[in-house]
């Protein structure tokens, strides 16, 4: 049985965010999504590694792990986003997101209360992400169930792709989506992080194995 990293192990190996690391880990070809050029950003330290948060004046637009993250926006675009500064509408949203992430990782928060700006995604992608938001902390759901919920029962592949491109990791909890057998399928932030997040929410490794049986 392959051993997975615990939250503590990932905390010890997490690096400090730098612009160079962000550029190296970014998918320089971008994704099939279109991100705004006028977002503001903030770097937040978490037990699973530093995260880059981005927001517009309307809501949170992205949360990505700086290291080991797939489907990030174009590196040059991210570098062009200014750091949030006092007085910006986006800064208020980023500060609130940062505070709630800290509470979540401390086990003190189960439900995030934040506005979102999901305009980077297509209408279909947004429908998938909004369905994922409904999965409660400590619970999981399958790609098939999401297909049925959005009235696209034959769209499992497309739902899987949209889930993988969720721009607001952790907060829009795509780590709670599992395969039809309960298998711990891929996660854009890394499978070890998916397992660690579920453990943080009370689903132990043994329970995860039971789900998969």
């Amino acid at each position: 049985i392959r051993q997975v990293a615990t939250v503590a192990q990932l905390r010890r190996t997490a690096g400090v965010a730098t612009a160079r690391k962000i550029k190296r880990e970014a998918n320089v070809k971008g994704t099939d999504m279109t991100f705004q050029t006028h977002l503001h950003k903030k770097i937040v330290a978490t037990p699973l590694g530093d995260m880059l948060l981005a927001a517009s004046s309307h809501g949170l637009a992205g949360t990505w792990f700086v290291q080991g993250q797939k489907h990030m926006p174009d590196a040059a675009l991210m570098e062009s986003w200014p750091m949030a500064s006092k007085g910006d509408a986006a800064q208020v949203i980023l500060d609130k997101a940062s505070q709630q992430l800290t509470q979540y990782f401390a086990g003190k928060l189960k439900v995030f209360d934040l506005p979102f700006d999901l305009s980077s995604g297509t209408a279909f992608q947004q429908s998938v992400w909004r369905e994922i938001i409904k999965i409660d902390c400590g619970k999981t759901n399958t790609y098939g169930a999401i297909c049925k919920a959005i009235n696209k029962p034959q769209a499992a592949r497309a739902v899987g792709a949209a889930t993988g491109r969720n721009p607001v990791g952790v907060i829009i909890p795509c780590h709670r989506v599992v395969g039809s057998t309960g298998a711990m399928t891929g996660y854009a932030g890394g499978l070890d992080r998916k397992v660690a997040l579920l453990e943080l929410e009370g689903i132990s490794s043994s329970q995860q194995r039971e789900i998969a049986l």
Side-chain angles (χ1 to χ4, degrees):
I1 298 174
R2 186 178 67 87
Q3 292 187 346
V4 298
T6 64
V7 171
Q9 289 170 333
L10 285 167
R11 181 187 294 116
R12 287 194 294 271
T13 58
V16 177
T18 65
R20 181 176 298 175
K21 288 177 182 176
I22 292 173
K23 187 172 184 178
R24 184 172 67 245
E25 295 295 333
N27 173 6
V28 295
K29 293 183 179 179
T31 69
D32 55 354
M33 300 183 293
T34 302
F35 288 90
Q36 301 173 29
T37 58
H38 59 276
L39 299 179
H40 287 72
K41 65 187 176 186
K42 180 174 184 174
I43 300 294
V44 175
T46 83
L48 300 185
D50 293 340
M51 298 186 76
L52 172 68
L53 278 56
S56 70
S57 59
H58 301 294
L60 189 65
T63 55
W64 302 275
F65 287 103
V66 171
Q67 294 180 295
Q69 176 79 52
K70 297 178 181 178
H71 308 309
M72 295 179 78
D74 179 81
L77 176 61
M78 290 190 294
E79 289 182 359
S80 74
W81 295 335
M83 298 298 290
S85 57
K86 191 173 182 179
D88 293 330
Q91 182 258 340
V92 175
I93 295 169
L94 291 170
D95 283 352
K96 188 174 181 181
S98 174
Q99 292 165 5
Q100 291 190 21
L101 279 169
T102 298
Q103 293 176 323
Y104 166 79
F105 279 109
K108 298 178 180 178
L109 183 143
K110 295 184 181 298
V111 180
F112 290 93
D113 181 18
L114 295 162
F116 296 107
D117 182 346
L118 301 179
S119 58
S120 63
T122 65
F124 176 80
Q125 288 172 328
Q126 291 184 43
S127 70
V128 172
W129 301 336
R130 294 193 182 282
E131 193 62 32
I132 291 173
I133 293 172
K134 300 176 184 178
I135 306 174
D136 292 334
C137 184
K139 303 291 184 180
T140 59
N141 206 351
T142 66
Y143 297 99
I146 293 173
C147 288
K148 293 178 182 178
I150 62 172
N151 296 315
K152 300 286 185 181
Q154 305 303 318
R157 187 181 297 272
V159 165
T163 301
R165 284 166 175 73
N166 165 31
V168 190
V170 180
I171 294 174
I172 295 181
C174 55
H175 59 277
R176 298 174 191 161
V177 183
V178 298
S180 59
T181 63
M184 297 295 110
T185 51
Y187 180 59
L191 190 58
D192 284 348
R193 286 194 178 107
K194 180 170 186 169
V195 172
L197 289 167
L198 291 174
E199 287 183 341
L200 176 66
E201 296 177 0
I203 301 178
S204 67
S205 295
S206 60
Q207 289 175 303
Q208 292 174 31
R209 287 193 293 271
E210 288 174 5
I211 289 173
L213 294 178

